[in-house]
Amino acid sequence: MSIKLATSQPPAPSRRELRFGAAWPYSPAKEGTGPVRLRERYEHFIGGERRAPEGGVYYATVSPATEEPLAEVARGDEADVERAVHAARQAFEPWSRLPGLERGKYLFRIARAIQERARELAIVESMDGGKPIKESRDFDVPQAAQTFFYYAGWADKLTHAFHGRPVRPLGVAGQIIPWNFPLLMAAWKLAPALACGNTVVLKPAETTPLTALLLSEIIEAAELPPGVVNVVTGFGDAGAALVRHPGVDKVAFTGSTAVGKQIQKALAGTRRRLTLELGGKGAHLVFQDAPLDQAVEGVIQGIFFNQGHVCCAGSRLLVEESIADALLVKLKARIQTLNVGDPLDKNTDIGAINSKEQLERIQALVAAGEAEGAERYSAPLPVKERGYFFPPTVFTRVAQSSRLAQEEIFGPVLSVLTFRTESEAVEKANNTFYGLSAGIWTNKSARVFDLAGKLEAGVVWGNTYNQFDPSSPFGGYKESGFGREGGRQGLASYLHVG
Amino acid sequence: MTDGTAGNGVAERPMRLSVKKTWKMYIGGAFVRSESGHTLTTGAEAGGAAATGAQSQEVICRGSRKDVRDAVKAALGAQPSWRGKSAYLRGQILYRLAEVMESRREELEERLLRGGAEAKAATREVDTAIDRVVTFAGWSDKYQSLLASSNPVVGPHFGFSVPEPVGVVGIVAPSRPSLLGLVGAVCPVVVSGNTAVVLVSEADPITALTLAECFATSDFPGGVVNLLTGLGAELIEPLVRHKGVRALDLWGVEDERARQLEAFAADSVKRVTRRIYEEIDWYDAAASGLGFIEPFLETKTVWHPMGV
Amino acid sequence: MTTAAQEWSSPPVDRVMVEARAAALGCRSIKTDAKRVGLGLAISMMDLTTLEGADTQGKVLALCRKAIQPDVRRPSVGPVAAVCVYPSLVRVARAALAGSPVRVASVATAFPSGQSALEVKLEDTRRAVGDGAHEIDMVIDRGAFLSGELGRVADEIAQVKTVCGAAHLKVILETGELGSYDNIRRASDLAIAAGADFIKTSTGKIEPAATPASTLVMLEAIRDHFFRTGIRIGMKPAGGVRTSKQALHYLVLVKETLGDDWLTPELFRIGASTLLNDVLMQLAKLEGGAYEAAEYFTRD
């Protein structure tokens, strides 16, 4: 007796649907805000002191989940930037002359303090930015600590890093960071700059200043010399003032490609150093032989991590046509299990969209996609009276020429396209002016190594996605920016190498 | 008086006998006596500088061949898990060692003083030893990016080479400086995922055993670092000949003896590094460089096809 | 003639991702009501098991009473789904459980090794069913599976299924001996195709027994079968599930992989011997607010 199996082909599409949710709902599991003691008002951190804004203006930073103001924050202007750059300049000489080992020990202290205040930082990150507590707790904060730990260890090894070539720090670094990973981006910027002997003026994003300000408290408590790190909060005008300031020797920016281009133009001809980490339109390439269930997980992680507010988000799913239907069945089932809601609930998978402006931008692009004829599938969104939320959304029948496939949405929206051959997949993946990231899903590792060479992207993941490590360089090709953060290569962004 | 007063009702400080510590070896994460039951008195048989008076004489274990065997067994047992830990975690564990040493620095200084060091020199040695651990903690996730390579081979293959730990390393520790030398020899060996069996300085074993208490309280899994006391003349040979030991780090072994030991090492093709501790400037940054890590690494080269 | 290995092909499984997903589902925070309901579900899904060489009538009788009423101080708790015993004790269990909804499951087919002649395995099954077992937990011949005789393994399952008649068939893959997730997936597909009503991870005699990742791989096989045929196959992790936290982790795996329809003893079971008391302790803690101690619960 012999039994024939029908499993050699991936399962065919089916109307047989799984039901999720009602039988055993999770009870609310809200992270207590006990460890958090926010002040009513935060000043700039300049020259080791809390300094009121020259213009006397404060603005409220708002929780995107509740629309409640969390604290008042100084709104910086040119005069504040001037003072901060001055303080950084004053601090540069002694800081850069400090033995690398001693600079490193300051950074180790910061790393340890982040670990000690991890829970508080995670909660504030979720309150201020809207990301789920499980991500701020398990990703943002531990990675921030690890980043300081990692670059702390480089401070006394810089001569090794460039094979004996002489190195010296650049001077004052002006660093402008985005709202999607507020603390982690601060760590990515500060840790290598400080390890290399630079001093810093950091400008956090206007919607998410709080964890950078808490970090400035940690830095103060770690007894870093005054002026080595300065934090000026505020809006784009403060950032622009920092970029234009002639006392800034190096600008590091993470944010949109549009602003990145403005910065590059502003610095044109000045010989001031620049690194840009800009937008992306990352592609997953899923082949017929892929471990399909794990590919689905990777696609989910790739686009819905941090509400899709990730520059390297896998926002395009390129799937081999022969398995497209089977993949979509799984994807749609999986999306139903994503919990959208209160960022502070430990079971939330997708939190709040960072701001009203961003929510409107996502809504506009989604409407455009529908108008262009793409087919929309969204998971149901629990009714919320307040806050900015958007359901996990998948578009199928997306044309390569549509706005959905071309523009960075920076939200929980995935566009699905199909391909027939490997070369078509590569062509479609590369057919964008971005070049930050790509993911390859296949059971054939020879394909991973082959495509890794052919994809125009700064980071290529094989059978995984959205993996980060301070020891691993990150950055873009093409209009996704230049310069690398992380790893040995990340040091080069903050050194003159002879 | 049994009530602790001097009869006239005035309280008097009762006599109190101090509690003496038994110095044991550190094997497999536990403090153990020698299997042989034999002991040495520092400054007597050991002939070191420790004995400047009767009070400073201490009894230590006289490790045996079987203790060497037990220590190698512990080091082998600790191998898979230690090399399997993330580089970041190994770095954090080393950094924890620095934290523990900082909090016990007075004791470490005291030991160096008893060993004959001047006050200033003892302070400097402890400072540098702690900083040395910090430096090697930092190396844990960095030496790879300096020593690995992508190999531009001809043909449709992606080639790369990565460093890997050799395994169990037998260390004959530098006699001097007794703390900094020990730290400076052990950290670069274990940071990459090796585990170590160390014959500590005969001249100052107590400082090494004080450091062992730092290892024991700083998140190091048992067996990663094993410290044996005793007579080098008895212990080096079983260590050098043990087939489970993959590399040797011999400090201060003179040429005559080395000829014999290195010949033993050849029986299982051990990697031998032999250095003169007096020739090293332990206070120079060079002593915390890549060169200290590299001898205890293998290079693994991988070829992988590209294209389907 | 095509070889069996060519005939049986299953989708590949990526170890790193499947383990990460399984672990992530262990991080769900199950509090208050969800915990109470989840623990109640876990009890109702439990196959209370004794499979020792030293099993006796007395031992099985005690277990059966525990199955019907797990906690004398809280009569509303329970009963469990089934009692799982060796074939020779099926009659004892049936008698002890008469009148209760608790079912009798029996291991069979040369448990735990599966290394015996087919006729012996079938006779083993026939007797257990004849003695009144509602459910048969059979083991596959892992030696045959690993040596590539997949057709033989499938044939055995199919023939045991025939002998089972109305009794439900659970097929034990012994995932700890299969060596890879790819093999676990292949064995799952094979067992389902050959007629299993349930697939089950382990005998409990081999380490590792059930793990969240191996369970997830099996749940994915069940899911694909459902997408393909509309037929719902049951799942039973067994062995090594000792704590309430673990039990809830498995429930979360089912809930988020297969959904609501599988959150029933008809389609999900947990095989365990020591889990029950831990669940009872947690329930009592939820009720009373104070942490419990082991001696307040009967050891059976």
Side-chain angles (χ1 to χ4, degrees):
Chain A
M1 177 177 165
S2 176
I3 308 216
K4 280 272 179 188
L5 268 192
T7 50
S8 55
Q9 290 299 312
S14 149
R15 300 215 170 276
R16 300 173 177 112
E17 280 172 14
L18 300 171
R19 302 182 306 123
F20 293 99
W24 178 40
Y26 297 138
S27 304
K30 196 164 165 127
E31 179 73 50
T33 54
V36 175
R37 300 266 180 280
L38 285 181
R39 286 192 262 146
E40 272 178 35
R41 170 173 274 197
Y42 286 88
E43 277 86 33
H44 301 307
F45 180 60
I46 296 174
E49 289 171 7
R50 305 288 148 190
R51 297 288 289 263
E54 292 279 305
V57 183
Y58 292 82
Y59 72 98
T61 183
V62 168
S63 158
T66 63
E67 300 179 49
E68 305 279 339
L70 295 168
E72 290 211 316
V73 177
R75 175 162 185 165
D77 61 15
E78 222 168 326
D80 297 314
V81 168
E82 174 62 41
R83 287 203 323 205
V85 173
H86 180 72
R89 176 59 57 194
Q90 297 283 99
F92 174 64
E93 186 66 20
W95 177 251
S96 61
R97 282 180 182 279
L98 210 58
L101 177 67
E102 299 303 315
R103 282 202 309 272
K105 281 154 73 181
Y106 279 112
L107 297 192
F108 278 120
R109 278 189 182 182
I110 297 172
R112 281 306 215 217
I114 291 174
Q115 290 175 327
E116 274 162 30
R117 292 177 68 175
R119 193 48 60 96
E120 174 194 0
L121 287 164
I123 296 167
V124 173
E125 196 75 311
S126 285
M127 289 167 71
D128 203 19
K131 67 173 63 203
I133 184 73
K134 72 168 185 186
E135 288 178 9
S136 47
R137 180 195 66 201
D138 298 343
F139 178 76
D140 296 65
V141 176
Q143 284 270 321
Q146 191 184 350
T147 301
F148 275 104
F149 210 92
Y150 179 78
Y151 279 108
W154 270 123
D156 59 342
K157 303 177 183 69
L158 298 176
T159 53
H160 288 279
F162 298 92
H163 310 290
R165 289 156 73 195
V167 295
R168 61 191 166 84
L170 301 175
V172 175
Q175 305 182 319
I176 301 169
I177 57 172
W179 44 260
N180 55 346
F181 297 94
L183 178 69
L184 182 55
M185 288 302 108
W188 277 27
K189 293 282 182 286
L190 291 174
L194 299 177
C196 293
N198 304 280
T199 56
V200 172
V201 177
L202 179 79
K203 210 292 276 179
E206 63 264 27
T207 60
T208 55
L210 290 180
T211 44
L213 289 163
L214 292 185
L215 181 62
S216 77
E217 291 177 5
I218 285 172
I219 285 167
E220 199 180 351
E223 298 168 320
L224 257 76
V228 171
V229 173
N230 307 276
V231 179
V232 174
T233 50
F235 288 69
D237 55 333
L242 185 57
V243 168
R244 284 193 309 267
H245 197 294
V248 170
D249 302 291
K250 150 86 193 203
V251 173
F253 171 76
T254 297
S256 72
T257 293
V259 176
K261 287 180 181 177
Q262 290 171 21
I263 292 174
Q264 193 175 2
K265 282 179 184 159
L267 293 183
T270 63
R271 289 184 188 277
R272 286 153 62 197
R273 294 269 295 265
L274 174 66
T275 46
L276 296 172
E277 205 269 88
L278 308 176
K281 194 72 194 173
H284 289 278
L285 283 62
V286 183
F287 290 89
Q288 189 261 331
D289 65 340
L292 212 53
D293 287 303
Q294 288 77 54
V296 168
E297 281 312 312
V299 170
I300 293 280
Q301 280 301 310
I303 184 61
F304 299 123
F305 178 58
N306 201 31
Q307 294 76 243
H309 301 330
V310 185
C311 46
C312 55
S315 52
R316 291 182 297 155
L317 169 57
L318 303 177
V319 54
E320 192 163 349
E321 211 162 311
S322 58
I323 55 159
D325 291 339
L327 182 68
L328 282 173
V329 167
K330 287 170 183 280
L331 199 58
K332 286 177 181 173
R334 177 67 176 87
I335 283 169
Q336 293 176 54
T337 67
L338 292 167
N339 302 316
V340 185
D342 183 357
L344 288 178
D345 192 302
K346 287 176 247 181
N347 291 324
T348 292
D349 300 308
I350 298 184
I353 301 300
N354 186 266
S355 65
K356 192 157 178 279
E357 294 68 34
Q358 186 58 25
L359 180 61
E360 286 165 0
R361 182 179 153 71
I362 295 167
Q363 286 165 337
L365 274 163
V366 164
E370 286 179 301
E372 281 171 336
E375 222 166 77
R376 174 179 173 178
Y377 175 82
S378 287
L381 184 65
V383 182
K384 293 267 172 198
E385 292 191 355
R386 312 209 62 165
Y388 317 127
F389 293 91
F390 196 84
T393 295
V394 176
F395 275 102
T396 55
R397 300 179 185 277
V398 177
Q400 181 73 5
S401 60
S402 72
R403 287 183 72 190
L404 286 175
Q406 292 295 324
E407 292 186 30
E408 185 179 42
I409 300 172
F410 225 62
V413 181
L414 177 70
S415 300
V416 183
L417 297 86
T418 58
F419 65 85
R420 293 159 298 173
T421 63
E422 195 176 288
S423 58
E424 185 184 356
V426 171
E427 198 180 324
K428 281 187 167 167
N430 287 342
N431 183 205
T432 161
F433 54 81
Y434 292 117
L436 192 50
S437 58
I440 304 162
W441 298 88
T442 173
N443 207 29
K444 224 175 171 113
S445 48
R447 180 164 15 225
V448 175
F449 282 99
D450 188 35
L451 293 189
K454 292 176 178 163
L455 290 166
E456 296 166 0
V459 186
V460 177
W461 286 293
N463 286 345
T464 187
Y465 207 88
N466 272 348
Q467 297 292 328
F468 306 91
D469 195 285
S471 68
S472 182
F474 181 90
Y477 281 27
K478 301 197 280 190
E479 291 196 14
S480 289
F482 48 74
R484 290 295 176 269
E485 297 186 289
R488 188 179 66 80
Q489 291 84 342
L491 297 167
S493 304
Y494 291 98
L495 289 170
H496 291 292
V497 181
Chain B
M1 306 294 291
T2 53
D3 64 355
T5 62
N8 56 1
V10 179
E12 194 182 66
R13 200 189 181 88
M15 194 194 87
R16 183 184 175 279
L17 199 61
S18 66
V19 177
K20 285 212 157 192
K21 182 184 272 180
T22 308
W23 292 102
K24 299 185 192 175
M25 301 188 292
Y26 180 55
I27 299 176
F31 288 92
V32 295
R33 291 193 178 82
S34 170
E35 148 301 322
S36 69
H38 292 178
T39 56
L40 294 168
T41 304
T42 56
E45 296 97 320
T52 50
Q55 299 124 307
S56 66
Q57 286 205 341
E58 308 253 20
V59 175
I60 59 162
C61 296
R62 178 171 171 173
S64 70
R65 306 173 71 89
K66 286 188 177 172
D67 293 320
V68 170
R69 175 203 63 188
D70 290 347
V72 173
K73 193 175 170 201
L76 278 169
Q79 252 295 292
S81 145
W82 181 242
R83 68 156 63 202
K85 290 196 187 323
S86 71
Y88 174 45
L89 182 55
R90 284 201 303 273
Q92 295 217 52
I93 290 172
L94 258 76
Y95 187 76
R96 181 72 184 156
L97 174 65
E99 290 181 338
V100 170
M101 287 172 70
E102 187 82 56
S103 73
R104 300 176 73 142
R105 59 170 305 137
E106 281 177 19
E107 190 184 353
L108 291 166
E109 278 182 44
E110 168 73 16
R111 285 296 156 200
L112 292 176
L113 291 175
R114 288 208 204 181
E118 308 255 320
K120 267 191 174 169
T123 302
R124 180 172 179 237
E125 183 172 345
V126 172
D127 282 346
T128 312
I130 295 170
D131 287 355
R132 186 68 29 98
V133 178
V134 170
T135 295
F136 280 112
W139 269 123
S140 73
D141 48 9
K142 297 178 187 67
Y143 69 87
Q144 302 89 333
S145 61
L146 296 171
L147 297 177
S149 65
S150 161
N151 311 325
V153 295
V154 174
H157 286 91
F158 181 72
F160 58 95
S161 300
V162 289
E164 289 193 349
V166 292
V168 175
V169 179
I171 301 175
V172 176
S175 293
R176 293 282 176 219
S178 51
L179 178 65
L180 179 56
L182 182 59
V183 158
V186 171
C187 288
V189 165
V190 298
V191 70
S192 63
N194 296 302
T195 52
V197 174
V198 189
L199 308 185
V200 307
S201 159
E202 270 181 53
D204 184 8
I206 302 292
T207 297
L209 294 176
T210 305
L211 183 68
E213 294 179 358
C214 298
F215 278 114
T217 51
S218 58
D219 304 338
F220 268 89
V224 173
V225 176
N226 304 276
L227 301 177
L228 297 169
T229 56
L231 302 175
E234 295 175 357
L235 299 180
I236 294 182
E237 190 181 317
L239 180 66
V240 166
R241 297 186 69 178
H242 197 301
K243 296 271 171 72
V245 174
R246 297 282 356 128
L248 294 168
D249 188 17
L250 307 178
W251 289 95
V253 175
E254 74 282 11
D255 289 349
E256 190 58 31
R257 181 100 166 98
R259 253 191 292 283
Q260 185 200 14
L261 294 176
E262 290 182 14
F264 282 138
D267 282 339
S268 57
V269 201
K270 289 180 174 58
R271 288 87 175 113
V272 183
T273 303
R274 187 159 63 92
R275 288 171 285 189
I276 311 297
Y277 55 82
E278 292 95 335
E279 291 175 359
I280 302 281
D281 180 357
W282 292 93
Y283 292 90
D284 188 86
S288 58
L290 202 53
F292 272 60
I293 299 173
E294 212 171 359
F296 308 102
L297 297 171
E298 300 283 3
T299 295
K300 174 170 287 170
T301 295
V302 182
W303 292 66
H304 196 290
M306 295 191 289
V308 290
Chain C
M1 190 187 131
T2 56
T3 67
Q6 287 169 315
E7 213 170 298
W8 306 89
S9 133
S10 290
V13 181
D14 181 74
R15 183 181 76 87
V16 174
M17 285 292 291
V18 84
E19 289 181 352
R21 171 67 176 154
L25 288 173
C27 295
R28 287 297 189 207
S29 181
I30 310 297
K31 301 283 179 216
T32 57
D33 282 349
K35 189 170 183 181
R36 193 172 293 114
V37 172
L39 294 175
L41 269 176
I43 290 176
S44 75
M45 294 166 165
M46 212 174 289
D47 282 6
L48 204 54
T49 303
T50 183
L51 293 168
E52 320 233 320
D55 281 350
T56 57
Q57 270 203 21
K59 164 85 184 175
V60 171
L61 287 174
L63 202 68
C64 290
R65 279 195 283 273
K66 178 85 163 186
I68 297 167
Q69 196 185 96
D71 188 346
V72 283
R73 293 178 300 163
R74 294 176 191 77
S76 63
V77 174
V80 304
V83 168
C84 184
V85 295
Y86 272 119
S88 57
L89 290 158
V90 166
R91 278 170 191 266
V92 176
R94 260 311 282 265
L97 293 169
S100 84
V102 180
R103 311 192 22 116
V104 175
S106 171
V107 296
T109 72
F111 183 92
S113 73
Q115 298 277 7
S116 194
L118 178 59
E119 294 71 31
V120 176
K121 295 181 185 179
L122 294 176
E123 184 55 25
D124 198 20
T125 309
R126 202 171 284 127
R127 281 173 182 256
V129 174
D131 283 352
H134 303 104
E135 302 171 358
I136 296 295
D137 289 25
M138 75 168 283
V139 288
I140 64 165
D141 180 344
R142 284 84 72 191
F145 180 88
L146 293 171
S147 62
E149 297 179 80
L150 306 187
R152 201 179 106 199
V153 177
D155 285 351
E156 280 196 7
I157 295 170
Q159 295 202 38
V160 171
K161 170 73 176 170
T162 308
V163 171
C164 280
H168 270 228
L169 177 62
K170 305 189 199 117
V171 177
I172 303 171
L173 309 181
E174 196 65 299
T175 51
E177 285 186 342
L178 295 184
S180 71
Y181 292 112
D182 283 336
N183 273 348
I184 293 173
R185 174 64 200 237
R186 187 172 298 129
S188 303
D189 287 341
L190 181 152
I192 291 170
D197 298 304
F198 263 74
I199 49 176
K200 173 175 168 182
T201 58
S202 320
T203 60
K205 305 292 182 195
I206 294 286
E207 285 294 323
T211 66
S214 56
T215 300
L216 178 56
V217 170
M218 293 165 72
L219 293 172
E220 285 165 354
I222 293 170
R223 182 169 62 185
D224 283 348
H225 187 70
F226 172 72
F227 282 146
R228 204 161 39 231
T229 66
I231 296 169
R232 295 184 177 87
I233 303 297
M235 173 70 205
K236 177 176 171 182
V241 190
R242 296 187 186 90
T243 66
S244 299
K245 193 173 165 59
Q246 284 176 294
L248 292 172
H249 186 176
Y250 284 104
L251 283 177
V252 168
L253 281 164
V254 175
K255 170 182 159 68
E256 300 210 18
T257 309
L258 297 173
D260 297 356
D261 294 338
W262 268 260
L263 287 171
T264 153
E266 301 305 310
L267 288 171
F268 188 69
R269 296 283 179 85
I270 299 170
S273 48
T274 57
L275 169 65
L276 180 54
N277 269 10
D278 189 69
V279 175
L280 295 175
M281 275 170 66
Q282 294 299 323
L283 276 175
K285 193 255 157 190
L286 277 175
E287 231 172 74
Y291 289 104
E292 294 283 334
E295 60 263 37
Y296 291 88
F297 299 86
T298 60
R299 275 163 239 172
D300 310 86

